[in-house]
């Protein structure tokens, strides 16, 4: 999610696409996408496609996940406020990102989770002590309520200056 | 009210129509009483089993699960056995009502509408049902006599679903509750419409309310499938869908129309966004130049070609006689002499006729206006883009609050799609983390500042020497070339010396500066800016030296021209004297235009210089890419098989894409265009061609022979920096052009302004001749110094005022930022303090002051060696007050020397909690199977 956060978990090729209708996709199918294979967080992204305990994903669920990345349109048809928030709202986009880091789904990013992500990102190039101190530092920066973990509101606060609406959007038709 | 409730009931009925239907199917006999049902369920196990089977099917259908195997079904059956009764009980009431109308339900409008949800599921279910019907048939006989009936009903249900499906697809999203609410509202509005008369409102309000209500009813009545709005509604929905689809297609089309989008995306995925930023900049430049090209060619060049006098008609449009033999030689043309010099490409070709062609097109005026308009348009575009960029970057400025957080959460570039780049990104993330640690360290200690200062001063002195030397070299060369210009039979080198030396300087100096800059040991981001600034200064110095030399030359030419002018005047006088002696009326002397004595036409000379400079710049750039990148890559790649050391990893390696150099080259090229465009209108065309080819050429070169950067600097930040440089260059190139326009007299025998004392006189002339008199008067008033000076003063004042305002805004911004920071810190401290003042802990601390210190110590220790296995969560709140945390951090951050260059991508990661190593699954290998699973880390849901 750096300079360009566009998550490009690249669209499956057309044959995969139609493949969805007949068979149901599993993790190996996702891992065959090269962009995901080289992404250190690819695993987490793939996980995001699978709901609890499921080992497969059908086309509908796949689309539901990808819907997070739909660009937000200005007019958004003036949806009446009573209707539920669309999947591609800023909040939901952030929530999606948050869940990439929240490994144990307790709505908090703990130090251990940060460490795991860090190891995915930097490999073995930085010693464990330093990784630990980086994680501590990160939490110290973001933590507001002193529970030494990053909750979703804190996460939102950290990224409040990032143009998530634009960066976490993909034009699928392309 | 009764009406409403009934409506609701129907809706609920149909919402679960399938459930109800299936339920009722299993017991197809007449009236259903609750009691009987109960008995039925609890008593008859067989029946019950069947019921639940039906229910199961419904549920499965609703889930959209695929169940084609009998085992699945059976399992589910067991599961659902307990749930089924509950469900049925809930359905009971509705079933009773529903039963009556079921037979004719297909035609029943409201029901059908509300059905949709159910139908949708039914559709999905359809497959299941059909698949199962066969085995049902097999088993069904001994199971229940009702099966036949059930099937029949099912079919009916299916058919009804498919019937109503055609116009129902849009309201699927409405849930039953919403539907009910909507219906209620529609009813309310209807009521409102009917008793609008009785309301004690003003007419205006009444009308307003009426209109609103009518619109609402029209909109939603159709949705609910009632009233006259239904067909219209269906039509409207269809049109909306078509419209949306069209908009989407159009959007697609628009994206497809962005030139080189895919090319840039490809480069981006291989090299990260910083390299892509160069290509985006190039594309932007191309766009701007295209407009300039359109202006120049559309308003000046094409009219001249179409309507101006043809070649050979007058002296300025003809090659002189003594040059005619060689005028078509390639070497001559390559130097832009001969026919090239006397063509529309250059200033001298244009005639000073006030109007040309039957359209009375005022070419001189157009020429002047286009020259000014080029600058005006460029200024506008550059400033606009800068303002836009500033707006964008203003959002997320440098913020040190969440330094590590941002690195943690936003460092991966998700656009990377190439494993090599991914490795580099790994490395750069690692580096950036290390950098931050280094920064943290440097905040604390400052060692040997004197040595560093000395080195920096030394480096700057060296670079200044380099700059001065290059400036002098250029001056020397230009002087020499002026000497050469008077001589004949020159070699190729002597002719092109200036260009060669300038290009060589541009090649040699930047790397030299870079190596000198290593003495300074700046942070790479700052180093890059310094580097950019120095190269900019070098180029600028070269350019201006060149310009001054050129102006010298122009002055010489002016003197020369003066002589020739006098000579021709004398010749003409002589001729006229002769002619009048002979007694005929004055006609122009019958000389062939090729033989006319003509002046040097300094404007064309300047234009040719710029064109030559541009062309040689193109050559050098392209050859550098070919040799420095492509050839190097070829050699490194193929000589590597038989070489003593590893060429790819070792010394020559592959080239990196030099972003700063390329961007600066582009900017300076543009400066040259701006300067030269007035005297050589064809230059803009050449530049457009250059940008077009370099887009393809460079993107090919970068993909084929460069390797991604090891260190990527943020593209968006420096973008405005480039724009700033561009603006500066624009201003600097504006100066000489305006100077020449305003002060130097145009040549007497070439160009659109010949014969006028100054070029801008063309405006005066137009005002005098073509506008009514009062405009001229106004203009002369406006040009009065008495008016201009106050105007300038006013502008200065405005600038001062705006500047002050913006400064004060900036100050208040800073203040606010500080305040926010303080608030944050305060809050944090308070929270931390609160947790420390936990009463129990406080008591403990009071009691055991030594122990608390010990605890502190142990946490620090455990923080320092967090091995993956047994990390205990840091103690909640415990002894974490602000200072202790900070101290801890500082201690552990500076514990190790992190300044190791990352030379290798992350090696194979240990199995276990880590995901499978992407390196193991090289995407380059075709047809690989699923990537190896590392200890089940990948592929298993992790929670």
């Amino acid at each position: 999610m750096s300079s360009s956060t566009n998550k490009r978990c690249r669209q499956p090729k057309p044959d995969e696409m139609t493949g969805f209708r007949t068979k149901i996709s599993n993790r190996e199918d996702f891992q065959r996408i090269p962009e995901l294979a080289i992404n250190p967080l690819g695993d987490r992204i793939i996980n995001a496609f699978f709901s609890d305990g499921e080992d497969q994903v059908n086309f509908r669920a796949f689309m539901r996940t990808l819907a997070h990345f739909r660009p937000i349109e200005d007019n958004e048809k003036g949806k009446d406020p009573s209707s539920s928030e669309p999947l591609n709202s800023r909040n939901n986009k952030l929530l999606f990102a948050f869940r990439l880091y929240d490994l144990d789904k307790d709505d908090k990013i703990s130090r251990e989770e940060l460490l795991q992500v860090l190891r995915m990102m930097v490999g073995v190039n930085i010693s464990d002590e330093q990784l630990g101190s980086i994680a501590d530092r990160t939490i110290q920066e973001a933590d507001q309520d002193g529970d030494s973990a990053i909750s979703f509101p804190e996460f939102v606060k950290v990224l409040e200056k990032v143009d998530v609406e634009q960066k976490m959007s993909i034009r699928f038709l392309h | 009210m009764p009406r409403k409730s009934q409506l609701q009931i129907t809706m609920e009925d149909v919402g679960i129509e399938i459930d109800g239907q299936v339920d009722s199917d299993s017991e197809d006999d007449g009236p259903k009483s609750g009691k009987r049902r109960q008995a039925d369920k609890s008593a008859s196990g067989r029946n019950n089993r069947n019921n639940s089977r039906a229910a199961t099917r419904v549920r499965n259908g609703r889930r959209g699960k695929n169940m084609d195997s009998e085992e699945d079904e059976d399992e589910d059956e067991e599961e659902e056995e307990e749930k089924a009764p509950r469900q049925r009980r809930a359905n009971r009431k509705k079933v009773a009502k529903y039963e009556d109308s079921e037979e004719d339900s297909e035609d029943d409008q409201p029901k059908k509408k509300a059905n949709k949800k159910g139908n949708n599921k039914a559709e999905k279910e359809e497959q299941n049902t059909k698949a199962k019907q066969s085995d049902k048939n097999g088993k069904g006989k001994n199971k229940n006599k009702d099966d036949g009936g059930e099937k029949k009903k099912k079919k009916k249900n299916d058919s009804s679903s498919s019937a109503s499906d055609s116009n129902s697809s849009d309201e699927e999203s409405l849930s039953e509750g919403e539907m009910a609410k909507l219906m209620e509202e529609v009813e309310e509005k209807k009521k409102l419409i009917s008793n609008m008369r009785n309301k004690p409102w003003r007419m205006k309000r009444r009308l307003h309310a009426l209109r609103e209500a009518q619109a609402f009813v029209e909109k939603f009545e159709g949705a609910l499938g009632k009233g006259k709005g239904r067909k219209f509604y269906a039509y409207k929905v269809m049109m909306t869908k078509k419209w949306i689809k069209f908009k989407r297609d159009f959007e697609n089309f628009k994206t497809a129309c962005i030139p080189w989008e895919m090319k840039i995306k490809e480069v981006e995925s291989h090299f990260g966004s910083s390299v892509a930023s160069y290509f985006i900049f190039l594309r932007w430049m191309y766009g701007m130049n295209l407009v300039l090209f359109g202006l120049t060619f559309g308003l000046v060049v094409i009219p001249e070609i179409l309507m101006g006098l043809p070649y050979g008609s007058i002296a300025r449009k003809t090659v002189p006689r003594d040059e005619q033999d060689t005028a078509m030689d390639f070497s001559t043309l390559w130097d832009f002499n001969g026919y090239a010099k006397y063509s529309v490409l250059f200033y001298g070709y244009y005639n000073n006729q006030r109007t040309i062609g039957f359209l009375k097109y005022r070419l001189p005026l157009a020429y002047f206006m286009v020259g000014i308009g080029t600058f005006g348009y460029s200024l506008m575009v550059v400033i606009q883009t800068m303002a836009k960029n500033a707006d964008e970057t203003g959002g997320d400025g440098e913020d040190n609050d969440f330094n590590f957080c941002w690195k943690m959460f936003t460092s991966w570039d998700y656009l990377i799609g190439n494993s090599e780049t991914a490795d580099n990104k790994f490395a750069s993330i690692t580096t950036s983390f290390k950098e931050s640690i280094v920064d943290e360290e440097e905040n604390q200690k400052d060692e040997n500042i004197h040595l560093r200062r000395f080195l920096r001063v030394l480096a700057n002195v060296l670079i200044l020497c380099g700059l001065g030397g290059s400036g002098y070299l250029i001056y020397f060369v230009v002087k020499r070339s002026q000497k050469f210009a008077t001589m004949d039979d020159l070699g190729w080198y002597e002719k092109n010396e200036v260009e060669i030396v300038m290009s060589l300087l541009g090649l040699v100096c930047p790397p030299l500066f870079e190596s000198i800059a290593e003495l300074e040991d700046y942070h790479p981001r700052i180093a890059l800016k310094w580097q950019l600034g120095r190269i900019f200064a070098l180029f600028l110095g070269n350019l201006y030296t060149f310009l001054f030399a050129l102006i010298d030359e122009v002055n010489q030419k002016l003197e020369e021209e003066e002589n020739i002018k006098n000579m021709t005047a004398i010749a003409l006088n002589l001729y006229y004297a002769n002619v009048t002696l002979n007694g005929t009326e004055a006609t122009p002397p019958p000389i062939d235009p090729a033989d006319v004595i003509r002046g040097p036409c300094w404007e064309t000379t300047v234009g040719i210089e710029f064109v030559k400079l541009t062309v040689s710049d193109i050559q050098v750039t392209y050859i550098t890419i070919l040799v420095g990148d492509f050839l190097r890559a070829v050699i490194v790649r193929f000589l590597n098989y038989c070489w003593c050391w590893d060429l790819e990893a070792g010394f020559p390696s592959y080239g990196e894409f030099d972003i700063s150099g390329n961007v600066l080259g582009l900017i300076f090229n543009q400066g040259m265009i701006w300067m030269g465009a007035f005297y050589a209108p064809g230059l803009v065309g050449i530049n457009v061609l250059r940008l077009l080819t370099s887009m393809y050429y460079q993107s090919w070169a970068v993909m084929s022979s460069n390797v991604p950067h090891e260190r990527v600097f943020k593209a968006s930040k420096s973008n405005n920096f480039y724009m700033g440089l561009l603006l500066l260059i624009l201003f600097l190139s504006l100066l000489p052009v305006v100077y020449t326009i305003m002060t130097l007299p145009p040549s007497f025998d070439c160009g659109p302004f010949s014969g006028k004392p100054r070029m801008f006189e063309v405006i005066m002339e137009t005002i005098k001749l073509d506008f009514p008199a009062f405009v001229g008067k106004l203009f002369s008033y406006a040009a009065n110094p008495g008016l201009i000076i106050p105007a300038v003063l006013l502008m200065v004042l405005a600038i001062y005022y705006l500047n002050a305002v913006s400064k004060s805004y900036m100050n208040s911004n800073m203040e606010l930022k500080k305040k926010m920071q303080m608030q944050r810190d305060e809050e944090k401290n308070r929270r931390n303090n609160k947790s420390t003042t936990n009463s129990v802990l406080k008591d403990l601390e009071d009691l055991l002051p030594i122990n608390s210190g010990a605890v502190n110590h142990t946490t620090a220790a455990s923080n320092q060696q967090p091995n993956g296995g047994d990390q205990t969560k840091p103690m909640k709140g415990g002894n974490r007050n602000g200072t202790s945390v900070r101290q801890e951090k500082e201690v552990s951050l500076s514990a190790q020397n992190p300044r190791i260059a990352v030379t290798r991508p992350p090696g194979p990661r240990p199995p276990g909690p880590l995901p499978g190593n992407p390196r193991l699954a090289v995407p380059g290998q075709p047809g690989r199977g699923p990537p190896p699973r590392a200890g089940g880390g990948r592929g298993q849901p992790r929670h």
Side-chain angles (χ1 to χ4, degrees), chain B residues 841-856:
Chain B
L841 252 173
K842 205 176 181 187
D843 287 350
L844 267 177
E845 271 171 12
D846 285 345
L847 285 173
L848 304 166
I850 309 156
N851 245 12
S852 74
V855 170
N856 214 342

Side-chain angles (χ1 to χ4, degrees), chain B residues 186-251:
Chain B
V186 167
E187 283 309 313
E188 238 165 57
K189 297 271 179 196
K190 271 188 174 170
K191 222 190 282 172
L192 183 72
I193 292 173
S194 59
N195 14 325
M196 182 69 76
R197 271 160 216 255
N198 310 333
K199 296 265 190 227
W201 291 347
R202 279 180 183 281
M203 202 53 181
K204 200 173 171 191
R205 187 173 166 202
R206 246 188 237 179
L207 270 178
H208 184 70
L210 183 68
R211 241 176 248 136
E212 221 165 49
Q214 271 171 344
F216 187 88
V217 167
E218 196 174 305
K219 190 169 169 204
F220 288 105
E221 194 176 43
L224 300 173
K226 295 202 331 178
K228 59 182 187 295
R230 193 172 66 85
K231 272 221 176 90
F232 178 64
Y233 181 76
Y235 174 75
K236 219 165 62 179
V237 164
M238 199 183 70
M239 285 322 283
T240 327
K241 277 192 172 163
K242 285 251 163 73
W243 174 239
I244 288 171
K245 188 171 180 315
F246 171 77
K247 270 205 297 196
R248 189 180 280 184
D249 282 347
F250 186 69
E251 219 34 52

Side-chain angles (χ1 to χ4, degrees), chain A residues 1-4 27-28 31 37 43 101 112 115 121 129 136-137 140-141 143-144 158 161 173, chain B residues 248 252 273 399 404-406 410 412-414 426 440 828 831 864 871 889 918 933 938-939 942:
Chain A
M1 261 176 287
S2 74
S3 48
S4 41
R27 282 164 199 275
E28 279 79 14
Q31 278 151 10
D43 232 34
Y101 296 94
E112 281 71 40
L115 273 176
M121 287 208 304
E129 293 104 89
D136 280 339
R137 187 57 186 263
Q140 189 208 344
E141 277 175 0
D143 195 14
Q144 288 177 335
V158 168
K161 283 198 187 150
L173 311 153
Chain B
R248 189 180 280 184
N252 248 2
S273 49
D399 208 349
F404 278 92
C405 280
W406 283 25
T410 66
W412 185 257
D413 188 341
Y414 284 81
F426 271 124
E440 286 292 317
K828 220 185 236 175
R831 285 219 165 96
Q864 272 179 358
Q871 285 159 358
K889 291 299 136 42
R933 294 163 148 238
R938 195 162 236 209
R942 230 178 288 151

Side-chain angles (χ1 to χ4, degrees), chain B residues 16 37 84-95:
Chain B
I16 40 102
R37 264 285 184 97
R86 186 166 47 81
Q87 187 195 357
R88 239 194 332 272
R89 212 171 299 131
N91 292 341
R92 175 127 350 99
K93 260 186 280 162
K94 293 122 198 178
V95 172

Side-chain angles (χ1 to χ4, degrees), chain B residues 25 64-65 92 280 372 414 495 655 730 757 820 835 919 941:
Chain B
D25 287 343
K65 245 193 187 168
R92 175 127 350 99
I280 291 169
I372 300 298
Y414 284 81
K495 271 187 201 160
L730 176 55
M820 266 165 66
S835 49
R919 292 272 299 163

Side-chain angles (χ1 to χ4, degrees), chain B residues 899-915:
Chain B
R899 262 183 260 185
I900 322 155
V902 183
T903 50
R904 58 192 179 126
R909 283 179 240 158
L914 299 178

Side-chain angles (χ1 to χ4, degrees), chain B residues 201-378:
Chain B
W201 291 347
R202 279 180 183 281
M203 202 53 181
K204 200 173 171 191
R205 187 173 166 202
R206 246 188 237 179
L207 270 178
H208 184 70
L210 183 68
R211 241 176 248 136
E212 221 165 49
Q214 271 171 344
F216 187 88
V217 167
E218 196 174 305
K219 190 169 169 204
F220 288 105
E221 194 176 43
L224 300 173
K226 295 202 331 178
K228 59 182 187 295
R230 193 172 66 85
K231 272 221 176 90
F232 178 64
Y233 181 76
Y235 174 75
K236 219 165 62 179
V237 164
M238 199 183 70
M239 285 322 283
T240 327
K241 277 192 172 163
K242 285 251 163 73
W243 174 239
I244 288 171
K245 188 171 180 315
F246 171 77
K247 270 205 297 196
R248 189 180 280 184
D249 282 347
F250 186 69
E251 219 34 52
N252 248 2
F253 174 72
K254 266 202 313 203
T255 323
C257 278
I258 300 173
W260 305 307
E261 185 73 0
M262 285 317 286
K263 234 182 191 25
I264 292 175
K265 280 270 145 62
E266 204 184 336
V267 170
E268 189 168 21
S269 86
H270 278 80
F271 292 86
S273 49
S274 56
V275 175
S277 81
Y278 165 73
F279 285 96
I280 291 169
F281 188 61
L282 182 61
R283 185 173 65 186
W284 184 85
M285 285 284 224
Y286 181 71
M288 193 184 69
N289 275 287
L290 220 51
V291 174
L292 297 186
F293 174 76
L295 272 179
T296 314
F297 273 66
L299 295 180
V300 174
V301 176
I302 306 261
E304 170 67 29
I305 290 173
L306 290 182
M307 302 187 286
L309 292 170
Y311 172 82
S313 53
I314 48 173
R316 68 186 68 181
K317 299 196 180 196
T318 318
V319 180
R321 178 136 346 251
D322 52 338
E323 287 176 29
Q324 261 175 4
D325 298 336
T326 58
M328 207 50 203
D329 292 356
F330 182 73
S331 62
T332 319
L333 288 182
W334 192 240
D335 285 338
F336 293 95
N337 271 319
Y339 284 111
K341 187 175 173 184
Y342 298 95
S343 70
V344 279
L345 292 184
F346 293 107
Y347 171 93
Y349 183 80
Y350 295 84
N351 198 2
N352 62 344
Q353 257 178 308
R354 238 172 70 72
T355 58
I356 56 169
F358 61 95
L359 287 178
K360 302 282 176 215
Y361 188 73
R362 285 172 173 72
L363 191 77
L365 183 69
Y367 195 102
F368 190 80
M369 295 308 266
V370 165
I372 300 298
T374 301
F375 284 110
Y377 174 77
S378 308

